[in-house]
């Protein structure tokens, strides 16, 4: 990109985000004098995530999660992104790499053209959300670094409002659940419990024998009978549960609406919502949506989903998959705009590649460095 074009783009971004262009331009202008050709270079490589504990939800168990790390380099600056592919969503390292090989960023002369780039990715294929999210995250990191500004600041969010994150405890034997709860109860302000099997009541009683912390529950579509689900939700409320995620199968929209109308706790859609276009049908059936970058293709679409949900009076939860601190820190940039955060994926793995968002006193702490603010380990 030529210097004048860059300044024009910078001014446009600064105007859109309310930033002072005067604060941005001098450093970037100096760097541009020694900059390269103004082309984006995309690199990617598979990286398997190792889970610290076997993870069990209503439908499966696993010890690893396949992932692909992405880098986009521009003007000597590198933006980091990541695709994480929990097996139940049908994406694989091969499908992500096959998609990324089709991407030609040479069509665009600037990473600032995010709307154009993301629209182009949707023309390559209908799905492939994790691969698209990896590029979106890397572009955002890159743009933040080029503007020398943390992403949450570009978005206009107050990092002090990034609240608590839940920490997830998978389905397991009472002994393991008790041990895991003891391990984490002092470090978090709210826990998330996977339910949806016959052991729900035992899980809750086991956790309650160890801690009084508020709990969110996620049935992962595991409940099948709406009346039994309603009874269980009343019982859960008496036991300090504050939120229910995806109680019934996602196709059962009428039954979910029936449940939500009667539920004393907010009902949040997770499996039922992937992208912006899915939200209109959910209005009235759920109280809120769980936005995950790997489902929705990244931060650009996630911010539109937040705006749409707010306009419809719906709650916003920001979640994640099992991810390194790269994608988790990207999700955490949205934390100040969320009612609930479930951003613990990086805490569940033993081979993280980055330092980024941290949890201190149960609260998400966003790094202050430009872009995502990541440091490579
Ligand atoms: Mg969920």
């Amino acid at each position: 990109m030529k210097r004048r074009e860059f300044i024009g783009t910078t001014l446009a971004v600064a105007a859109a985000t309310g930033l002072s262009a005067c604060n941005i331009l001098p450093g970037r202008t100096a760097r541009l004098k020694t900059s390269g050709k103004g082309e984006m270079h995309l690199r990617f490589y598979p990286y398997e995530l190792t889970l610290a504990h076997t993870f069990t939800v209503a439908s499966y168990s696993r010890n690893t999660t396949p992932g692909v790390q992405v880098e986009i380099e521009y003007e000597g600056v590198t933006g980091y992104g990541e695709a994480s592919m929990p097996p139940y969503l049908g994406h694989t390292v091969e499908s992500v790499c096959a998609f990324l090989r089709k991407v030609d960023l040479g069509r665009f002369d600037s990473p600032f053209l995010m709307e154009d780039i993301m629209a182009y990715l949707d023309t390559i294929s209908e799905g492939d959300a994790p691969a698209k999210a990896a590029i979106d995250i890397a572009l955002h990191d890159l743009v933040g670094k080029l503007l020398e500004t943390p992403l949450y600041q570009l978005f206009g969010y107050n990092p002090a409002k990034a609240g608590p994150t839940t920490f997830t405890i998978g389905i397991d034997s009472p002994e393991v659940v008790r041990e895991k709860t003891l391990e984490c109860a002092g470090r978090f302000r709210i826990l998330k419990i996977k339910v949806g099997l016959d052991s729900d009541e035992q899980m809750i009683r086991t956790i309650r024998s160890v801690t009084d912390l508020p709990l969110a529950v996620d049935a992962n579509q595991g409940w099948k009978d709406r009346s039994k689900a309603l009874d269980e939700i009343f019982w859960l409320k008496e036991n300090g549960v504050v939120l229910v995620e995806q109680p019934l199968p996602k196709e059962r929209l009428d039954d979910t609406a029936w449940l939500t109308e009667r539920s004393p706790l907010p009902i949040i859609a997770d499996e039922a919502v992937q992208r912006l276009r899915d939200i209109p049908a959910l209005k009235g059936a759920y109280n809120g949506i769980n936005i995950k970058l790997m489902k929705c293709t990244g931060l650009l679409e996630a911010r539109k989903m937040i705006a749409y949900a707010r306009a419809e009076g719906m709650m916003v939860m920001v979640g994640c998959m099992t991810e390194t601190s790269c994608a988790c820190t990207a999700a955490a940039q949205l934390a100040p705009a969320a009612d609930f955060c479930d951003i613990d994926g990086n805490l569940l793995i033993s081979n993280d590649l980055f330092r980024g968002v941290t949890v201190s006193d149960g609260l998400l702490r966003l790094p202050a460095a430009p872009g995502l603010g990541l440091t490579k380990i």
Side-chain angles (χ1 to χ4, degrees):
M1 181 191 280
K2 294 185 182 71
R3 180 172 177 273
R4 197 196 307 167
E5 285 169 348
F6 177 82
I7 291 172
T9 307
T10 307
L11 286 170
V13 171
T17 57
L19 293 169
S20 160
C22 299
N23 290 340
I24 297 167
L25 286 176
R28 280 304 304 146
T29 310
R31 187 185 293 170
L32 279 173
K33 283 178 184 168
T34 57
S35 66
K37 295 174 193 163
E39 287 174 10
M40 284 182 278
H41 299 282
L42 173 64
R43 296 186 292 267
F44 52 91
Y45 60 96
Y47 186 74
E48 186 172 78
L49 307 173
T50 307
L51 306 189
H53 298 282
T54 302
F55 193 67
T56 303
V57 301
S59 49
Y60 64 90
S61 293
R62 65 177 199 267
N63 291 304
T64 60
T65 300
V68 174
Q69 295 292 315
V70 165
E71 298 178 3
I72 300 177
E73 190 183 324
Y74 175 82
E75 300 277 357
V77 180
T78 301
Y80 295 103
E82 172 178 16
S84 170
M85 295 86 75
Y88 62 92
L89 292 176
H91 306 288
T92 61
V93 168
E94 291 71 30
S95 71
V96 169
C97 290
F99 179 89
L100 293 173
R101 274 192 287 271
K102 290 179 199 159
V103 174
D104 174 20
L105 291 181
R107 295 162 168 245
F108 306 94
D109 57 8
S110 157
F112 289 92
L113 297 170
M114 272 194 248
E115 288 280 357
D116 290 359
I117 297 170
M118 296 311 292
Y120 157 67
L121 296 187
D122 276 339
T123 67
I124 297 177
S125 73
E126 174 76 11
D128 292 299
K132 293 172 184 174
I135 290 181
D136 167 283
I137 294 167
L139 286 173
H140 276 85
D141 188 33
L142 186 54
V143 161
K145 284 171 174 166
L146 290 166
L147 295 175
E148 298 180 350
T149 307
L151 282 176
Y152 58 78
Q153 202 170 356
L154 283 173
F155 296 162
Y157 296 149
N158 178 355
K161 290 185 176 168
T165 178
T166 52
F167 182 78
T168 299
I169 297 180
I171 296 172
D172 220 315
S173 67
E175 294 71 33
V176 175
V177 168
R178 190 176 296 112
E179 184 192 325
K180 280 190 193 169
T181 309
L182 275 171
E183 249 176 56
C184 65
R187 295 190 289 134
F188 296 90
R189 298 185 182 200
I190 177 168
L191 302 178
K192 179 165 142 179
I193 315 301
K194 294 289 190 180
V195 295
L197 296 181
D198 293 338
S199 56
D200 292 0
E201 192 174 324
Q202 187 184 41
M203 280 280 292
I204 300 292
R205 290 198 193 283
T206 303
I207 287 160
R208 278 289 167 256
S209 73
V210 179
T211 177
D212 292 330
L213 282 177
L215 305 175
V217 300
D218 187 352
N220 289 109
Q221 316 184 75
W223 294 336
K224 305 301 179 201
D225 181 298
R226 68 182 193 182
S227 297
K228 274 170 75 177
L230 185 61
D231 289 346
E232 179 151 354
I233 291 171
F234 274 101
W235 182 82
L236 290 168
K237 184 170 191 294
E238 284 169 21
N239 285 275
V241 171
V242 297
L243 168 118
V244 177
E245 206 180 315
Q246 199 63 53
L248 299 169
K250 62 183 180 182
E251 302 79 16
R252 304 250 309 264
L253 211 53
D254 290 345
D255 288 335
T256 306
W258 180 92
L259 186 63
T260 298
E261 199 182 333
R262 292 160 179 79
S263 170
L265 295 176
I267 306 290
I268 307 292
D270 184 4
E271 284 86 343
V273 60
Q274 312 290 315
R275 300 189 59 170
L276 178 65
R277 62 185 175 224
D278 300 323
I279 309 176
L282 304 183
K283 195 186 155 196
Y286 293 87
N287 299 111
I289 55 167
N290 186 349
I291 299 172
K292 294 177 181 169
L293 300 183
M294 295 303 142
K295 293 191 301 182
C296 78
T297 73
L299 289 162
L300 193 72
E301 181 131 340
R303 296 185 64 223
K304 293 175 186 174
M305 293 173 77
I306 291 173
Y308 187 94
R310 291 306 186 199
E312 293 290 2
M314 296 175 86
M315 300 173 82
V316 170
M317 179 170 179
V318 174
C320 64
M321 305 296 183
T322 308
E323 300 161 352
T324 72
S325 287
C326 177
C328 282
T329 304
Q333 305 292 322
L334 305 173
D339 299 296
F340 291 96
C341 286
D342 179 27
I343 305 177
D344 62 353
N346 54 336
L347 307 175
L348 304 175
I349 63 170
S350 57
N351 60 343
D352 206 345
L353 288 168
F354 300 93
R355 256 186 291 278
V357 64
T358 56
V359 178
S360 165
D361 192 24
L363 301 174
L364 292 162
R365 308 280 185 186
L366 292 164
L372 294 171
L374 300 173
T375 312
K376 266 203 142 178
I377 292 175

